[in-house]
Structure formats: structure tokens, C-alpha cells
Amino acid sequence: MSNPELNHDYWMRHALALAKRAWEEGEVPVGAVLVRNNEVIGEGWNRPIGRHDPTAHAEIMALRQGGMVLQNYRLIETTLYVTLEPCVMCAGAMVHSRIGQLVFGARDAKTGAAGSLMDVLHHPGMNHRVEIIEGVLRDECAAMLSDFFRQRRLEKKAQKKGPEPLI
Ligand SMILES: [Zn+2]
């Protein structure tokens, strides 16, 4: 594609950079970016621990910012890029906000609500259907999470062991 801004990979890389910020803050690294007419109108990264807010998922943060930017609670004709398949809460928020399209990287087999555990976005009873594209930069998105959890396990192990004896 000649215009990199029209490329799903381009925006997913942006979401990955936001996920890295979550990691730096000690949160599970998930990032989200809301795009309209090839412009960013919302950015979010996972931060429930730091914010003492169970709803502070990357997607919710990006949708909230998008609403402020558009001065509208309906976020029509927008695309939300997320590094990980959304949970039930975030998928529900996507329906409420009327986004047009969800693009996500890796699947979340345990809690994914865009096809893995369930499919909130294509539920026949829903009054709004969100188009889903999945698997964009899947390997990078999955590696971000597995690397994070691997590092966390190593840190916990090191803590348990305590400092190495000097002799
Ligand atoms: Zn969520």
C-alpha cells in the first residue's frame, strides 16, 4: 500500500507502542488506538492498577478520548485497533459507541469476546454490528504479552529466592 497511514499494520504498531507504556507502568501490556479518517482521535493503554479503576482497559480509555475529541458519544465511522482481543466489557462499550470496525492482533482464548470465549460484536440480538478484522501483527502482539508474563514470573522467582549469598 502506498499510503502507510491506510495500512492496518501501521496503526497496530501505534497500538503496540501504547501497550509498551502499560508495561512500563507495571500493567498488563495492551494498547488501543481509535482512528477516524486516518487520524488518531483516541489512545489508550491498560492501566486499571495505577488508576484504581477496573474499567481502565486500553479500549475504554481510547473510546473515552474519542468521545471527547468528537464531542459525541457515538463514534461512528471509526476503527479501533487493539493489540489483544477485547473482553466482554470492552466489546460491550464498542457496541454502545457504534464504532464501525475493530482490528485486533492476538486472540485471548480465555476471555476474548470477539469470537474466542464468545462473540459479543456479532451477537444476533445486538442492535449494532461491528466489523472485525483479526490477526494484524498477531505474532508481535502475542509476544508482547508472553514476554511480559515471562519476565514477571522470573522477577517473582528472584524475589522468593532472595539475594544471592556473597560467598
Ligand atoms: Zn477490556
Side-chain angles (χ1 to χ4, degrees):
M1 208 171 288
S2 57
N3 182 356
E5 292 193 342
L6 294 171
N7 193 319
H8 289 323
D9 287 16
Y10 175 89
W11 292 116
M12 193 58 80
R13 290 207 187 283
H14 192 102
L16 274 166
L18 294 167
K20 192 82 194 169
R21 287 173 81 158
W23 184 328
E24 285 159 10
E25 293 175 10
E27 308 266 9
V28 174
V30 179
V33 57
L34 186 65
V35 176
R36 189 170 182 268
N37 294 332
N38 290 307
E39 262 184 285
V40 176
I41 59 165
E43 290 180 326
W45 58 97
N46 197 39
R47 51 206 310 203
I49 301 166
R51 289 220 164 185
H52 310 298
D53 178 359
T55 70
H57 288 187
E59 300 94 313
I60 302 290
M61 306 308 282
L63 292 173
R64 282 192 178 137
Q65 194 183 6
M68 294 305 288
V69 167
L70 296 179
Q71 288 289 290
N72 196 329
Y73 76 115
R74 299 294 198 214
L75 308 173
I76 53 164
E77 289 166 14
T78 59
T79 298
L80 185 64
Y81 292 86
V82 197
T83 55
L84 182 68
E85 183 180 357
C87 70
V88 174
M89 172 183 72
C90 292
M94 288 172 207
V95 173
H96 283 294
S97 59
R98 304 286 189 269
I99 65 163
Q101 197 177 45
L102 163 70
V103 182
F104 70 87
R107 276 198 168 221
D108 186 342
K110 283 186 191 151
T111 65
S116 291
L117 178 67
M118 61 183 88
D119 192 350
V120 169
L121 300 171
H122 288 159
H123 192 282
M126 282 291 180
N127 58 355
H128 176 74
R129 288 167 76 88
V130 176
E131 189 193 332
I132 302 175
I133 296 173
E134 67 164 276
V136 173
L137 301 186
R138 181 195 289 122
D139 294 346
E140 282 101 317
C141 290
M144 171 81 75
L145 286 154
S146 54
D147 290 353
F148 172 81
F149 286 114
R150 187 181 308 120
Q151 190 185 311
R152 204 156 77 165
R153 278 195 301 274
L154 287 173
E155 281 167 5
K156 276 198 181 144
K157 220 174 172 182
Q159 266 174 14
K160 254 189 212 160
K161 230 172 143 189
E164 291 287 334
L166 293 172
I167 24 171

